[in-house]
Amino acid sequence: MQCVKVLGGVLGAAALLGLGIILGHFAIPKGTDLPAPSASASQDLDLEILEAVMGQLDANRIRENLRELSKEPHLATSPRDEVLVQLLLRRWQDPESGLDSAGTSEYEVLLSFPSQKQPNRVDVVGPAGGILFSSQRSEENLTGEQGDPNVVPPYAAYAPPGTPQGLLVYANRGSEEDFMELYQQGIKLQDSIVLTRYGGVGRRAKAVNAAKYGVAGVLVYTDPADINDGRSLPNETFPYSWGLPPSGVERGSYFEYFGDPLTPYLPANPSSFRLDSDNASGFPPIPTQPIGFKDAEVLLCNLQGASAPAAWQGALGCDYKLGPGFRSDGIFPAGSQVNVSVYNRLELRNSSNVLGIIRGAVEPDRYVLYGNHRDSWVHGAVDPSSGTAVLLELSRVLGTLLKKGTWRPRRSIVFASWGAEEFGLIGSTEFTEESFSKLQERAVAYINVDISVFANATLRAQGTPPVQSVIFSAAKQIRAPGPSSLSIYDNWIRYSNRSSPVYGLVPSLGTLGAGSDYAPFIHFLGISSMDIAYTYDRSKTSARIYPTYHTAFDTFDYVDKFVDPGFSSHQAVAQTVGSVLLRLSDSLFLPLNVSDYSETLRSLLQAAQQDLGGLLEQHNISLGPLVTAVEKFEEAATVLGQHVSALQKGTPNPLQVRMLNDQLMLLERTFLNSRAFPEERYYSHVLWAPRTGSVATFPGLSNACSKAMNTGPGSAAWAEVQRQLSILVVALEGAAATLRPVADL
């Protein structure tokens, strides 16, 4: 049985059983257990409370939170990770600023670690068998933190052990197209070691693509052209700038899926069925090891063979060759090979989520969830502690109001600190598996703040269309950091915008992939979700992410000096998220604008018509039913919007409000079909599943057409196209039906 630790006296004991009283009961407890201000069914967002919260969020407190959170490395399940679990519990049970209850849920999950006795290594081996060069086994100790004994050496989590050796080949980003290019050039890949750079495709995909060509082992590095705008000298990088130092190595999970590898679709409790690790899928097929670009330069700049294509060149100061093998006039003798020794091990570990709960005064059975993961690869000041620092400050401000008895939200708020995210979104996924039914029935929205500040130029938000309006409303009311008097919204629109046929010029709201803990909420449960952060000016850097990502250089001083001096951007994120959270938890009518889905659906439909319509006609497949389904949705969304406006002008009874809010809340669930993508794990949302096809339309349709394109009429591939169209039509018609009057059967 899952281990649950309970804090907070009688209230905590009542509140946490599994997820707690929130997920277990529909009503407020009787008697004096719940010290709440007087509440009525018409309770609505209090603008004075909102302004008070905005004014009390303190940049200095966020800064001190970050200093404490990132003081030591806190790899998932490490002793320091457990220290942070206890820190969160203390904060959330504080008598003056704590929440109604706080507790932990523990899962036994499969993680991957490098061997302490046999460190992973990369060597150049001469023709006679002697070692001519060895890569660095740890990053250079530039500021003291890198020398901490708890810094995990660079490794590729879940890469299998092995000691392959072969001639070196440069394979650019390791995509399918890259390996096809090498194959077409006649370069021998069988039994080789390939050197790839981060970016382009996912980590595991590099190893999967390599294995298809008989490659024995994979090396991965970060090219300064991709992360440092070409700067690679020690005096051009951290600690002299925010650039990645030459010895910096990006760690990461190479597991394909999210969740515990051994218990897919089941919570990783002791009683759950577990796959044998030998039969579990999703691991890289061949040994893989990341290295720094200082070591990559030694290898890459001594390769022989043809020059790599122009698009494959980087910023290591030499002409990138393809190999195989080293050139005879370089530093290594002809015939020298690269040996990759990986000694990773799999291990079952107990990982904890921490949950803090504020119970709603009117609708305690409706939950607004706000979470971030806690674990990091090393110190993790940016990723993830910048997000946790914000979460702790917002929960402090709301907890203080709660303890004073001056405020209690209309709906319940659940704060979450997820465990083992870096290994594959494990904590959040186990939570959604364990609480699947309750969350599908009762969760209003999920707010994710992982990295709260990548850099300090502008807001960046991702989410499903219904959350666009609440994010925009919040951003319009908060002043952007810096000398200008612009709002966060007006500043955002300067950096990232799009032309909307409905609203005109608006900030661009990104879509949600699977990069953080929102993934199981949107893809698996169909809960309206968002991810909010501050980021950099894309016109000033080509960095694919902040440079010290997943390295031992992601420290408090790095944030304090280079990412957000003064922590004003952290404060801006806290204010934005706080405003969104209060609007979702306190507004009488949920601020989810379902009409914004109409614009998305119309755009996806137009792409299908323009880019696939002719091809489909050739195979007697009509888009007519899909066109009709989109039109039905647009009509239903418009009518519902009019109904909302009418109710807002009147004095609706509580049942009318509840019914309407349920329509808004449950719309996202209607886009789920658990059989739509049988080859994908957890992906059920027919609008936001991974798209592998080239046409930017509905993912199932795009993917199916891409596979069917070169097959004959009547093939199974074209049958799949028709199936995907049917799935879409049924989903959209169901969505439209959900938006119609609830008595209209």
Side-chain angles (χ1 to χ4, degrees), residues 470-626:
V470 68
I471 296 174
F472 284 1
S473 295
K476 288 176 179 177
Q477 301 301 315
I478 303 165
R479 182 172 175 172
S484 76
S485 58
L486 294 176
S487 68
I488 286 178
Y489 179 91
D490 290 332
N491 183 64
W492 182 10
I493 211 170
R494 292 169 57 212
Y495 290 94
S496 176
N497 58 67
R498 66 180 182 89
S499 180
S500 163
V502 179
Y503 305 110
L505 194 68
V506 296
S508 295
L509 182 75
T511 58
L512 296 171
S516 192
D517 289 300
Y518 50 73
F521 289 93
I522 180 60
H523 297 302
F524 182 42
L525 294 183
I527 294 170
S528 293
S529 301
M530 69 196 82
D531 185 78
I532 297 174
Y534 237 71
T535 192
Y536 35 79
D537 181 353
R538 286 288 183 182
S539 69
K540 293 183 178 179
T541 179
S542 61
R544 62 182 180 85
I545 197 168
Y546 73 96
T548 64
Y549 174 68
H550 287 188
T551 75
F553 304 106
D554 181 0
T555 62
F556 173 79
D557 284 344
Y558 180 77
V559 176
D560 200 33
K561 293 177 181 178
F562 301 112
V563 176
D564 188 25
F567 281 70
S568 60
S569 295
H570 284 77
Q571 183 182 39
V573 171
Q575 291 171 328
T576 304
V577 173
S579 181
V580 169
L581 181 64
L582 285 173
R583 291 169 191 271
L584 287 168
S585 63
D586 276 359
S587 296
L588 179 62
F589 295 96
L590 285 175
L592 298 174
N593 188 357
V594 297
S595 291
D596 286 339
Y597 245 130
S598 297
E599 187 177 339
T600 298
L601 295 175
R602 178 60 60 176
S603 175
L604 294 171
L605 174 62
Q606 289 174 346
Q609 291 172 317
Q610 293 169 9
D611 299 327
L612 297 176
L615 176 67
L616 293 172
E617 285 182 9
Q618 294 174 19
H619 292 268
N620 298 315
I621 299 175
S622 173
L623 286 174
L626 183 60

Side-chain angles (χ1 to χ4, degrees), residues 1-3 106 108 263 266-274 434:
M1 178 178 284
Q2 161 187 325
C3 174
E106 193 169 271
E108 190 177 32
T263 58
L266 296 171
N269 296 327
S271 61
S272 289
F273 167 78
R274 278 181 167 75
E434 188 164 43

Side-chain angles (χ1 to χ4, degrees), residues 240-502:
Y240 303 101
S241 77
W242 86 324
L244 177 68
S247 69
V249 184
E250 178 183 324
R251 298 149 180 81
S253 175
Y254 285 64
F255 180 54
E256 179 179 8
Y257 307 114
F258 43 91
D260 172 47
L262 301 186
T263 58
Y265 297 104
L266 296 171
N269 296 327
S271 61
S272 289
F273 167 78
R274 278 181 167 75
L275 300 170
D276 187 288
S277 60
D278 292 336
N279 298 326
S281 60
F283 300 142
I286 53 179
T288 304
Q289 176 68 17
I291 60 174
F293 69 75
K294 180 179 180 180
D295 289 330
E297 178 182 355
V298 175
L299 301 176
L300 187 50
C301 292
N302 283 282
L303 278 181
Q304 64 180 356
S307 292
W312 294 26
Q313 298 293 327
L316 293 180
C318 65
D319 179 32
Y320 291 13
K321 305 287 189 179
L322 297 177
F326 297 110
R327 66 177 194 267
S328 58
D329 62 343
I331 63 174
F332 304 123
S336 296
Q337 297 184 340
V338 172
N339 178 276
V340 180
S341 297
V342 174
Y343 301 102
N344 296 345
R345 70 188 192 282
L346 297 172
E347 186 175 335
L348 282 173
R349 292 278 191 93
N350 292 325
S351 178
S352 297
N353 293 336
V354 187
L355 301 173
I357 299 167
I358 299 177
R359 194 162 45 257
V362 181
E363 299 180 81
D365 61 323
R366 292 293 179 260
Y367 324 137
V368 181
L369 298 105
Y370 166 30
N372 177 33
H373 71 100
R374 180 184 62 259
D375 63 302
S376 67
W377 286 111
V378 195
H379 294 83
V382 178
D383 181 13
S385 300
S386 64
T388 305
V390 165
L391 182 146
L392 283 173
E393 174 60 3
L394 183 54
S395 65
R396 179 194 69 83
V397 171
L398 295 181
T400 300
L401 292 174
L402 181 73
K403 293 301 185 182
K404 288 181 178 179
T406 57
W407 167 83
R408 180 173 288 279
R410 178 184 181 88
R411 302 176 187 90
S412 296
I413 296 173
V414 180
F415 293 98
S417 174
W418 311 118
E421 185 268 1
E422 294 291 8
F423 288 84
L425 318 183
I426 289 178
S428 55
T429 302
E430 301 313 303
F431 172 76
T432 58
E433 290 168 338
E434 188 164 43
S435 305
F436 180 90
S437 297
K438 291 177 182 178
L439 291 174
Q440 277 211 320
E441 293 169 2
R442 308 174 192 175
V444 170
Y446 175 68
I447 304 167
N448 194 70
V449 182
D450 185 336
I451 297 171
S452 69
V453 179
F454 291 85
N456 56 7
T458 179
L459 191 73
R460 185 215 70 178
Q462 301 166 297
T464 51
V467 307
Q468 173 180 271
S469 60
V470 68
I471 296 174
F472 284 1
S473 295
K476 288 176 179 177
Q477 301 301 315
I478 303 165
R479 182 172 175 172
S484 76
S485 58
L486 294 176
S487 68
I488 286 178
Y489 179 91
D490 290 332
N491 183 64
W492 182 10
I493 211 170
R494 292 169 57 212
Y495 290 94
S496 176
N497 58 67
R498 66 180 182 89
S499 180
S500 163
V502 179

